[in-house]
Coordinates of all heavy atoms in Angstrom, one line a residue:
N25 N 0.8 -1.2 0.0 CA 0.0 0.0 0.0 C 0.9 1.2 0.0 O 1.8 1.4 0.8 CB -0.9 0.0 1.2 CG -2.0 -1.0 1.2 OD1 -2.9 -0.9 0.3 ND2 -1.9 -2.0 2.1
L26 N 0.6 2.1 -0.9 CA 1.3 3.4 -1.0 C 0.2 4.4 -1.1 O -0.7 4.4 -2.0 CB 2.2 3.5 -2.3 CG 2.9 4.8 -2.5 CD1 3.8 5.2 -1.4 CD2 3.6 4.8 -3.8
N27 N 0.1 5.3 0.0 CA -1.0 6.3 0.1 C -0.5 7.4 1.0 O 0.7 7.5 1.4 CB -2.3 5.7 0.5 CG -2.2 4.9 1.8 OD1 -1.7 5.5 2.8 ND2 -2.6 3.7 1.9
R28 N -1.4 8.3 1.3 CA -1.0 9.5 2.1 C -0.6 9.1 3.5 O 0.1 9.8 4.2 CB -2.2 10.4 2.2 CG -2.6 10.9 0.8 CD -3.7 12.0 0.9 NE -3.0 13.2 0.8 CZ -3.6 14.4 0.7 NH1 -4.9 14.5 0.9 NH2 -2.9 15.5 0.5
N29 N -1.0 7.9 4.0 CA -0.6 7.5 5.4 C 0.6 6.5 5.4 O 1.2 6.4 6.5 CB -1.8 6.7 6.0 CG -2.9 7.6 6.2 OD1 -2.8 8.8 6.6 ND2 -4.1 7.1 6.0
S30 N 1.0 5.9 4.3 CA 2.1 5.1 4.3 C 2.9 5.2 2.9 O 2.3 5.1 1.9 CB 1.7 3.6 4.5 OG 0.9 3.2 3.4
G31 N 4.2 5.5 3.0 CA 5.0 5.6 1.9 C 5.0 7.0 1.2 O 5.6 7.2 0.2
S32 N 4.5 8.0 1.9 CA 4.4 9.4 1.3 C 5.3 10.3 2.0 O 4.9 10.8 3.1 CB 3.0 9.9 1.2 OG 3.0 11.2 0.8
T33 N 6.5 10.6 1.5 CA 7.3 11.6 2.2 C 6.7 13.0 2.0 O 6.9 13.8 2.9 CB 8.8 11.6 1.5 OG1 8.7 11.8 0.1 CG2 9.5 10.3 1.8
F34 N 6.0 13.3 1.0 CA 5.4 14.6 0.8 C 4.4 14.8 1.9 O 4.4 15.9 2.6 CB 4.7 14.7 -0.5 CG 4.0 16.0 -0.7 CD1 4.7 17.1 -1.0 CD2 2.6 16.1 -0.6 CE1 4.0 18.4 -1.2 CE2 1.9 17.3 -0.8 CZ 2.6 18.4 -1.1
D35 N 3.5 13.9 2.2 CA 2.5 14.1 3.3 C 3.2 14.1 4.7 O 2.8 14.9 5.5 CB 1.5 13.0 3.3 CG 0.6 13.1 2.1 OD1 -0.2 14.1 2.1 OD2 0.6 12.3 1.2
A36 N 4.3 13.4 4.9 CA 5.0 13.5 6.2 C 5.7 14.9 6.3 O 5.7 15.5 7.4 CB 6.1 12.4 6.2
W37 N 6.2 15.4 5.2 CA 6.8 16.7 5.2 C 5.7 17.8 5.5 O 5.9 18.7 6.3 CB 7.4 17.0 3.8 CG 7.9 18.4 3.6 CD1 9.0 18.9 4.1 CD2 7.3 19.3 2.8 NE1 9.2 20.2 3.7 CE2 8.1 20.5 2.8 CE3 6.2 19.3 1.9 CZ2 7.8 21.6 2.1 CZ3 5.9 20.5 1.2 CH2 6.7 21.6 1.3
Q38 N 4.6 17.6 4.9 CA 3.5 18.6 5.2 C 3.0 18.5 6.6 O 2.7 19.5 7.3 CB 2.3 18.3 4.3 CG 2.5 18.9 2.9 CD 1.2 18.8 2.1 OE1 0.4 17.9 2.1 NE2 0.9 19.9 1.3
D39 N 2.9 17.3 7.2 CA 2.5 17.1 8.6 C 3.4 17.7 9.6 O 3.0 18.1 10.7 CB 2.4 15.6 8.9 CG 1.2 14.9 8.2 OD1 0.3 15.6 7.7 OD2 1.2 13.7 8.1
M40 N 4.7 17.9 9.2 CA 5.6 18.5 10.1 C 5.7 20.0 9.9 O 6.5 20.7 10.5 CB 7.0 17.9 10.0 CG 7.7 18.1 8.7 SD 9.5 17.5 8.8 CE 9.3 15.9 9.4
G41 N 4.8 20.6 9.1 CA 4.7 22.0 8.9 C 5.4 22.5 7.6 O 5.6 23.7 7.4
A42 N 5.8 21.6 6.7 CA 6.4 21.9 5.4 C 7.6 22.9 5.6 O 7.7 23.9 5.0 CB 5.4 22.5 4.5
P43 N 8.6 22.5 6.4 CA 9.8 23.4 6.6 C 10.5 23.6 5.3 O 10.7 22.6 4.5 CB 10.6 22.6 7.6 CG 10.2 21.2 7.5 CD 8.8 21.2 7.1
E44 N 11.0 24.8 5.1 CA 11.8 25.1 3.9 C 13.2 24.6 4.0 O 13.8 24.2 3.0 CB 11.8 26.6 3.6 CG 10.4 27.1 3.2 CD 10.4 28.6 2.8 OE1 11.4 29.1 2.4 OE2 9.3 29.2 3.0
Q45 N 13.8 24.7 5.2 CA 15.1 24.2 5.5 C 15.0 22.8 6.1 O 14.3 22.7 7.1 CB 15.8 25.2 6.4 CG 15.9 26.6 5.9 CD 17.2 26.8 5.1 OE1 18.2 26.1 5.3 NE2 17.1 27.7 4.1
I46 N 15.7 21.9 5.6 CA 15.7 20.5 6.1 C 17.1 20.1 6.6 O 18.0 20.0 5.7 CB 15.1 19.5 5.1 CG1 13.7 19.9 4.7 CG2 15.1 18.1 5.6 CD1 13.0 19.1 3.7
Q47 N 17.2 19.9 7.9 CA 18.4 19.4 8.4 C 18.6 17.9 8.2 O 17.6 17.2 7.8 CB 18.5 19.7 10.0 CG 18.6 21.2 10.3 CD 17.2 21.8 10.3 OE1 16.2 21.1 10.3 NE2 17.1 23.1 10.2
T48 N 19.7 17.4 8.5 CA 20.0 15.9 8.2 C 19.1 15.0 9.0 O 18.6 14.1 8.4 CB 21.5 15.6 8.6 OG1 22.4 16.5 7.8 CG2 21.8 14.2 8.3
D49 N 18.8 15.3 10.2 CA 17.9 14.4 11.0 C 16.5 14.4 10.5 O 15.9 13.4 10.4 CB 17.9 14.8 12.5 CG 17.5 16.2 12.8 OD1 17.5 17.1 11.9 OD2 17.1 16.5 13.9
V50 N 16.0 15.6 10.0 CA 14.7 15.7 9.4 C 14.7 15.0 8.1 O 13.7 14.2 7.7 CB 14.2 17.2 9.2 CG1 12.9 17.2 8.5 CG2 14.1 17.8 10.6
Y51 N 15.7 15.1 7.3 CA 15.9 14.4 6.0 C 15.8 12.9 6.2 O 15.1 12.2 5.5 CB 17.2 14.8 5.3 CG 17.4 14.0 4.0 CD1 16.8 14.3 2.8 CD2 18.3 12.9 4.1 CE1 17.0 13.6 1.7 CE2 18.5 12.2 2.9 CZ 17.9 12.5 1.7 OH 18.1 11.8 0.6
N52 N 16.6 12.4 7.2 CA 16.6 11.0 7.5 C 15.2 10.5 7.9 O 14.8 9.4 7.5 CB 17.6 10.7 8.5 CG 19.1 10.8 8.0 OD1 19.3 10.8 6.8 ND2 20.0 11.1 8.9
Y53 N 14.5 11.3 8.7 CA 13.2 10.9 9.1 C 12.3 10.8 7.9 O 11.5 9.8 7.7 CB 12.6 11.9 10.1 CG 11.1 11.7 10.4 CD1 10.7 10.8 11.2 CD2 10.2 12.6 9.8 CE1 9.4 10.6 11.5 CE2 8.8 12.4 10.0 CZ 8.4 11.4 10.9 OH 7.1 11.2 11.1
L54 N 12.3 11.8 7.0 CA 11.4 11.8 5.8 C 11.8 10.6 4.9 O 10.9 10.0 4.3 CB 11.6 13.1 5.1 CG 10.9 14.3 5.8 CD1 11.3 15.6 5.0 CD2 9.4 14.2 5.9
K55 N 13.1 10.3 4.8 CA 13.6 9.2 4.0 C 13.0 7.9 4.5 O 12.6 7.0 3.7 CB 15.1 9.2 4.0 CG 15.7 8.3 3.0 CD 15.9 9.0 1.7 CE 16.8 8.1 0.8 NZ 16.2 7.8 -0.4
S56 N 12.8 7.8 5.8 CA 12.3 6.6 6.4 C 10.8 6.4 6.1 O 10.2 5.3 6.2 CB 12.5 6.5 7.9 OG 11.6 7.4 8.6
K57 N 10.1 7.5 5.7 CA 8.7 7.4 5.4 C 8.4 7.0 4.0 O 7.2 6.9 3.6 CB 8.0 8.8 5.7 CG 8.1 9.2 7.1 CD 7.2 8.3 7.9 CE 7.1 8.7 9.3 NZ 6.2 7.8 10.1
E58 N 9.4 6.8 3.1 CA 9.1 6.5 1.7 C 8.8 5.0 1.5 O 8.6 4.6 0.4 CB 10.3 6.9 0.9 CG 11.6 6.1 1.1 CD 12.8 6.6 0.3 OE1 12.7 7.7 -0.3 OE2 13.8 5.9 0.3
I59 N 8.8 4.2 2.5 CA 8.6 2.8 2.4 C 7.1 2.5 2.4 O 6.4 2.8 3.4 CB 9.4 2.0 3.4 CG1 10.8 2.3 3.3 CG2 9.1 0.5 3.3 CD1 11.7 1.7 4.4
P60 N 6.5 1.8 1.4 CA 5.1 1.5 1.5 C 4.8 0.4 2.6 O 5.7 -0.3 3.0 CB 4.8 0.8 0.1 CG 6.0 1.2 -0.8 CD 7.1 1.4 0.1
E61 N 3.6 0.4 3.0 CA 3.1 -0.6 4.0 C 3.0 -1.9 3.2 O 2.6 -2.0 2.1 CB 1.8 -0.2 4.6 CG 1.2 -1.2 5.5 CD -0.2 -0.8 5.9 OE1 -1.0 -0.2 5.1 OE2 -0.6 -1.1 7.1
I62 N 3.4 -3.0 3.9 CA 3.2 -4.3 3.3 C 2.5 -5.2 4.3 O 2.8 -5.2 5.5 CB 4.6 -4.9 2.9 CG1 4.4 -6.3 2.3 CG2 5.5 -5.0 4.1 CD1 5.6 -6.9 1.7
K63 N 1.5 -6.0 3.8 CA 0.8 -7.0 4.6 C 1.0 -8.3 3.8 O 0.8 -8.4 2.6 CB -0.6 -6.7 4.7 CG -0.9 -5.4 5.6 CD -2.4 -5.1 5.7 CE -2.6 -3.8 6.5 NZ -4.0 -3.5 6.5

């Protein structure tokens, strides 16, 4: 499943307030959100 709740870095970025500057820790967090859910 790839949707707004799983696998969407864009939606995770928006949920954190859409920061213009992204530090390494925030980038790594967003990178971890790109994986789709699997059942």
Side-chain angles (χ1 to χ4, degrees):
N25 288 295
L26 177 62
N27 55 51
R28 298 185 103 177
N29 296 321
S30 60
S32 175
T33 55
F34 178 75
D35 288 293
W37 172 74
Q38 281 190 321
D39 289 345
M40 66 172 52
E44 292 183 27
Q45 301 272 332
I46 298 180
Q47 295 82 17
T48 302
D49 60 338
V50 173
Y51 174 81
N52 291 335
Y53 171 78
L54 290 173
K55 192 86 169 126
S56 75
K57 295 295 183 177
E58 70 184 8
I59 301 169
E61 175 187 37
I62 182 174
K63 293 180 183 176

